[in-house]
Amino acid sequence: MNEPTFNSSSPGLGDLAPDFEAQTTHGMIRFSEWQEGRWVILFSHPADFTPVCTTEFVEFCHSQEFMDAKGVALLGCSVDSIYSHIAWVRDIEEKHGVKVGFPVIADLDQAVSRKFGMISEPTSATAPVRSVFFIDGSGVIRAVISYPPEVGRSFLEIRRVIEALQLVDEKGVACPANWQSGESVIVPPPKTTEEAERRMEDPSVEATDWYLARKKIED
Ligand code: BEZ
């Protein structure tokens, strides 16, 4: 690995996802049009026909039903050619008994990977790392996770982040450490001393302290 340097080129949380046009296994897409107001998980993998990436693609396929239920579209990306993608997708479907129902970008010139900071030069100047961009229906990047080539992603965590982000938006709450779907959530802390006083007596929340209170989410 090279000497670490500061790199500010990746879009961050709260930024609009950069728009792009790209060739995919489902044809040419312009991201902003293809998105159609859906949540998107845009993810990169280092290379087709590699073992860890193959296990991840199988897991993305196993996650498809969950993603459909949450209104999330999957979009893969690597710097391999469209022919390599087609051959790999067919191989995965044949050997692993899954359907790769999402498009995969053939980012041969690294244009998309570089726009999203998926290429981390100290790791590799030619292959993307394992990035996951969680993009909401307005095109805003809401979370990013990044793993090195040698470590496959946690699909429990990817699903957990989607559930947490959508709950945060829907209910105006926050999710504590290790939160799992169905567990109590954090209510926003009071903003006045009077509210802080009332919080400790509020029967609708479990207040550990005036600034740390949880509540159950009713279905
Ligand atoms: C893999 O997917 O197995 C892999 C890809 C690039 C580097 C190391 C591992």
Side-chain angles (χ1 to χ4, degrees):
M1 216 184 255
N2 301 332
E3 188 66 21
T5 52
F6 179 70
N7 171 1
S8 63
S9 62
S10 312
L13 305 197
D15 287 337
L16 263 186
D19 201 12
F20 59 84
E21 204 169 57
Q23 188 179 24
T24 81
T25 48
H26 291 191
M28 287 299 292
I29 63 162
R30 168 152 293 281
F31 177 72
S32 54
E33 290 165 15
W34 173 84
Q35 185 183 9
E36 288 180 331
R38 297 172 295 178
W39 282 75
V40 173
I41 290 182
L42 169 64
F43 64 97
S44 55
H45 66 276
D48 294 354
F49 291 103
T50 52
V52 177
C53 298
T54 301
T55 63
E56 290 187 325
F57 255 58
V58 171
E59 286 310 313
F60 275 116
C61 295
H62 289 157
S63 299
Q64 188 70 66
E65 207 176 322
F66 170 90
M67 297 299 171
D68 290 344
K70 299 289 173 190
V72 179
L74 297 172
L75 180 56
C77 176
S78 82
V79 298
D80 298 278
S81 73
I82 203 72
Y83 302 114
S84 170
H85 282 343
I86 291 168
W88 188 42
V89 162
R90 287 170 63 89
D91 195 56
I92 289 172
E93 292 184 345
E94 184 192 322
K95 306 266 169 52
H96 299 272
V98 291
K99 173 95 190 120
V100 180
F102 50 86
V104 188
I105 298 168
D107 192 30
L108 270 179
D109 63 359
Q110 304 183 347
V112 176
S113 307
R114 292 209 175 262
K115 248 185 181 174
F116 280 82
M118 292 164 167
I119 303 239
S120 173
E121 297 258 356
T123 304
S124 167
T126 53
V129 295
R130 302 183 192 282
S131 297
V132 187
F133 284 83
F134 297 82
I135 301 168
D136 71 17
S138 304
V140 175
I141 296 170
R142 300 292 299 280
V144 182
I145 41 189
S146 203
Y147 289 65
E150 300 78 9
V151 181
R153 285 165 273 217
S154 162
F155 286 77
L156 293 176
E157 178 61 1
I158 289 172
R159 287 200 280 270
R160 191 186 81 94
V161 171
I162 282 291
E163 288 190 309
L165 285 170
Q166 293 189 346
L167 191 65
V168 163
D169 284 4
E170 193 188 326
K171 305 283 186 189
V173 295
C175 295
N178 293 332
W179 175 85
Q180 297 291 338
S181 180
E183 292 179 355
S184 294
V185 294
I186 305 273
V187 294
K191 297 229 168 35
T192 65
T193 48
E194 206 177 296
E195 275 176 35
E197 198 75 37
R198 280 206 303 272
R199 174 60 55 84
M200 295 308 290
E201 313 302 328
D202 183 349
S204 71
V205 300
E206 310 145 29
T208 308
D209 207 332
W210 64 270
Y211 65 89
L212 171 54
R214 298 170 199 249
K215 73 171 179 187
K216 291 247 181 303
I217 291 286
E218 309 301 334
D219 289 332

